[in-house]
Amino acid sequence: MDAQANLPQHVKIVEVGPRDGLQNEQQTIPAAVKVELIDRLGRAGFANIEAASFVSPKWVPQMATSAEVMAAIERRAGVIYSALTPNMQGFDAALAAGAGEVVIFGSASEAFSQKNINCSIAESIARFEGVAQAARERGLRLRGSISCAFGCPYQGEVPLHAVADVVGRMRELGCDEIDIADTIGVATPRKTQAVMLRAAQEFDLKRLSGHFHDTYGQALANIYASLEVGIAIFHSSVSGLGGCPYAKGATGNVATEDVLYLMQGLGIDTGIDLDIVVDAGQFISQHLGRKGASRAGNAIAAKRAG
Ligand code: HMG
Ligand code: MG
């Protein structure tokens, strides 16, 4: 049996460290450090970098410098710089900042929706309608992110139909891509496949992405399980940065270096230079004053140090 034949040959990795990763850091990170991180990641070859978040600075203070960051980054041809936009205020700021993609972020869990964006799922979709229409009119890509698709820190179980329902609503809003997110990192491989296959009944499988956090050490297994059902877009965070301010105890996103090492081993093309990502991981870890959370990144750095 040729198992490899069933896996995608090319995978898109969306680097979310500068936003999903850094948003959770308690210490204020200077805009210049964020800019350098994004520029280093740009040089590594990512086609999409989540660089900013235009949310209330009272809710997520770390992202308050997003406009400053977007103004200072080196814009590389072919790279899409994305920004989170919960409402029209966020959209206007993202447009002014030159974001190439805006991200509306909802939830498959009512409880999480209330905690994260202070409204019900239905209210959030109504808010997103204006953002979606404005994105269409301005020719910006629109991405929909669905938090807590595998479990919720407040309500526990999240049924498949709840995920499918939000995927369907985001499709109707005209999303180019929809992220199925394991915000608290509780998914396991079979569950991952069940959720992805159910989501794919509502939206083109090739435009669904897997956004995994590694709280229970399952993220790489879940990515492999997703590849097996044909998912070919994944989110990851350099050096495993991250967590979510509204999901206590959730650790970072799966580390980009680990995902790239996996893809290299599987012979799957990503177009990204792992060595440059390792350097970027070392850079941000040094700034944060702690060892990075990427196993592959640390192993490669140790080998280099020889
Ligand atoms: P609200 O308080 O319900 O909104 O917040 P409001 O419309 O009543 O406005 C209240 C104040 O916020 C006003 O200011 C607005 O101007 C301001 P005030 O008059 O009090 O001075 N405001 C804004 N300021 C800047 N930018 C904006 C904006 N909107 C309102 N866009 C809101 C609603 C959604 C804004 C708020 O709940 C919020 O900002 N939440 C942030 C949520 C967030 O960023 N969470 C983390 C990202 S999600 C995530 O990480 C998960 C994900 O990675 C996937 C995964 O891992 O699962 C995507
Ligand atoms: Mg996340």
Side-chain angles (χ1 to χ4, degrees), residues 16 19-20 23 181-183 211-213 243-244 253:
V16 299
R19 196 285 303 172
D20 201 4
Q23 75 174 7
D182 186 11
T183 310
H211 177 118
F212 295 104
H213 285 247
C244 175
N253 295 81

Side-chain angles (χ1 to χ4, degrees), residues 270-299:
T270 61
I272 296 160
D273 186 326
L274 173 55
D275 279 318
I276 300 180
V277 180
V278 171
D279 290 340
Q282 299 284 304
F283 162 76
I284 193 65
S285 300
Q286 265 164 22
H287 179 81
L288 295 172
R290 59 170 193 258
K291 193 173 177 185
S294 167
R295 304 285 283 267
N298 291 339

Side-chain angles (χ1 to χ4, degrees), residues 203-215:
F203 191 70
D204 179 12
L205 180 93
K206 291 291 171 215
R207 293 188 291 139
L208 283 175
S209 73
H211 177 118
F212 295 104
H213 285 247
D214 205 27
T215 317

Side-chain angles (χ1 to χ4, degrees), residues 19-20 23 54-56 58 87 90 116 118 147 183 211 213:
R19 196 285 303 172
D20 201 4
Q23 75 174 7
F54 293 100
V55 299
S56 161
K58 287 186 192 139
N87 51 22
N116 193 36
N118 206 21
S147 289
T183 310
H211 177 118
H213 285 247

Side-chain angles (χ1 to χ4, degrees), residues 6 28 37 58 114 141-142 167 206 209 238 240 251 293:
N6 298 322
T28 304
L37 178 65
K58 287 186 192 139
Q114 289 290 354
R141 272 176 62 91
L142 178 70
V167 172
K206 291 291 171 215
S209 73
V238 60
T251 60

